Amino acid sequence: MAQTNPGKDSQASEAKKLISLPTSRVRLIMKSSPDVSSINQDALFLTTKATELFVQHLALTSFNNGSGREANSLDYSDLAKTAEETDTFHFLTDILPKKILARDYLESLEQLQDEDADF
Amino acid sequence: MDGDSSTTDASQLGITGEYMASGHYVLQPQDDDGEENMNDHEDGGTKENYREQDIYLPIANVARIMKNAVPQTGKIAKDAKECVQECVSEFISFITSEASERCHQEKRKTINGEDILFAMSTLGFDMYVDPLKLYLQKFREAMKGEKGIAGVAVGESLGEDLTEDSFTNQLPTGIITDGQQQNVMVYTTSYQQFTTIPTVQQIQFS
């Protein structure tokens, strides 16, 4: 990740060693929000760093939430549960719906239809 | 911001409201091909072509941070990694929208650091603010000073520190060190052990 170019580049690469996520990609995501014109360097750094903290925070909270059921592992349902139960992560509930297998859904659907169907 | 790539709309699923009562449901294919969401859009200009949800951070980076956050013997499911990858994009957009709004209210065009910190605070992430301020300080020093400034070793990427240091039975910490490897500031991901930020000690992960 580090480059040894002299001058401003070396300062930039020193600074970028503080984070482990690609700032260019973070900027891309930020700019996809409506009405965002420009983002200064501090803001980009802070967002990138905050994202790291967020990943750690979410992963650890979800892991602890789920360790009662499936010891020592983190899976999707732990994340979905955390999003529902933790205020901070509540904004994720739309993108973390609880999943069911298509098979189970179809079974349930059939049961509902059977109740109405005329054979 | 609706995830209509996975159908959660009850009317589209054709099922009754009773079935959906306990929450949202999405159909999960039997064989989960996990690589679908690995978009790699490098061009920055055509934002009309991509919804913001389609742009993700590289899963390798995200997975590494997750791995370092949980106890070392813990396992992380593949769908959890992908899921967090999506959550991350959501988080970034969440913060950015809020910061952008404040910016507009104050008739400014450029989102600055204060806007981001304010957005975090407003949206329930105020526990991040103090560590972030310290990191920002280090960042500014690195950008301002000349290479090899005395007493400040921004040194290894923190991502690498977290994997190489021996945190076998500890929660991983972010450490900013000076040249003599003395800890200047330590934070832990448990958020229970902030040594410099008393207010955060109230936050507990159970």
Side-chain angles (χ1 to χ4, degrees):
Chain A
M1 210 187 296
Q3 296 162 4
T4 50
N5 295 328
K8 283 203 312 190
D9 284 346
S10 68
Q11 290 174 353
S13 61
E14 285 293 322
K16 276 171 189 163
K17 286 174 184 172
L18 286 171
I19 51 186
S20 57
L21 292 169
T23 54
S24 52
R25 191 72 64 88
V26 173
R27 179 189 281 118
L28 202 61
I29 298 172
M30 292 177 82
K31 287 187 84 77
S32 70
S33 273
D35 296 330
V36 169
S37 44
S38 53
I39 302 161
N40 92 351
Q41 198 176 55
D42 283 357
L44 181 58
F45 173 80
L46 285 172
T47 305
T48 307
K49 196 66 204 167
T51 303
E52 279 184 30
L53 298 181
F54 173 77
V55 172
Q56 292 169 337
H57 187 185
L58 177 60
L60 188 60
T61 307
S62 304
F63 185 89
N64 290 335
N65 251 355
S67 65
R69 291 180 293 148
E70 287 196 50
N72 225 28
S73 79
L74 172 63
D75 63 10
Y76 177 89
S77 59
D78 299 328
L79 292 164
K81 182 166 182 271
T82 299
E84 272 195 34
E85 296 176 1
T86 311
D87 283 347
T88 312
F89 297 121
H90 215 68
F91 73 102
L92 295 170
T93 47
D94 278 350
I95 65 168
L96 288 180
K98 291 184 179 153
K99 289 186 182 175
I100 59 173
L101 291 174
R103 173 189 346 125
D104 294 340
Y105 158 69
L106 290 171
E107 267 179 34
S108 308
L109 188 57
E110 277 175 20
Q111 286 169 12
L112 287 170
Q113 288 172 345
D114 284 350
E115 287 165 14
D116 299 334
D118 297 324
F119 290 105
Chain B
M1 218 171 296
D2 48 283
D4 52 277
S5 58
S6 12
T7 309
T8 55
D9 186 353
S11 60
Q12 288 181 30
L13 288 173
I15 54 183
T16 65
E18 293 148 11
Y19 188 74
M20 294 287 280
S22 53
H24 298 244
Y25 288 89
V26 66
L27 298 184
Q28 181 177 19
Q30 309 291 35
D31 337 307
D32 205 6
D33 178 7
E35 298 309 310
E36 289 168 8
N37 290 327
M38 291 269 309
N39 294 310
D40 202 277
H41 304 116
E42 290 303 337
D43 61 327
T46 54
K47 75 176 174 188
E48 295 84 10
N49 295 343
Y50 312 120
R51 299 174 307 163
E52 57 200 48
Q53 305 95 302
D54 292 331
I55 308 175
Y56 305 125
L57 293 179
I59 196 166
N61 301 57
V62 172
R64 182 169 51 222
I65 299 173
M66 289 175 74
K67 185 159 160 298
N68 292 329
V70 302
Q72 194 164 40
T73 54
K75 299 183 291 288
I76 302 176
K78 187 179 182 196
D79 62 355
K81 295 179 193 174
E82 289 158 5
C83 168
V84 171
Q85 198 187 16
E86 293 174 32
C87 291
V88 156
S89 294
E90 188 78 10
F91 171 75
I92 293 172
S93 301
F94 193 42
I95 298 290
T96 305
S97 302
E98 186 68 26
S100 171
E101 205 179 290
R102 179 164 186 250
C103 217
H104 279 289
Q105 277 171 9
E106 301 187 0
K107 305 275 198 289
R108 286 180 286 111
K109 290 203 179 130
T110 305
I111 299 179
N112 63 27
E114 276 305 311
D115 296 325
I116 297 291
L117 291 174
F118 186 80
M120 303 246 173
S121 213
T122 306
L123 296 173
F125 294 100
D126 47 276
M127 74 288 270
Y128 298 176
V129 168
D130 286 331
L132 284 176
K133 282 181 178 167
L134 285 161
Y135 276 114
L136 183 63
Q137 228 174 354
K138 293 296 173 189
F139 173 71
R140 281 176 173 162
E141 283 167 19
M143 292 304 290
K144 187 170 42 177
E146 292 179 350
K147 195 180 174 192
I149 193 172
V152 176
V154 293
E156 300 300 308
S157 127
L158 283 170
E160 287 165 20
D161 276 345
L162 290 173
T163 51
E164 289 169 11
D165 281 0
S166 54
F167 290 119
T168 43
N169 291 320
Q170 299 171 26
L171 296 165
T173 59
I175 298 176
I176 298 174
T177 63
D178 62 14
Q180 285 80 38
Q181 294 299 310
Q182 240 178 337
N183 293 345
V184 175
M185 195 275 292
V186 175
Y187 79 97
T188 68
T189 54
S190 71
Y191 296 98
Q192 291 170 351
Q193 298 175 36
F194 276 110
T195 56
T196 58
I197 303 148
T199 55
V200 187
Q201 285 167 355
Q202 297 164 22
I203 298 171
Q204 289 181 356
F205 292 8
S206 52

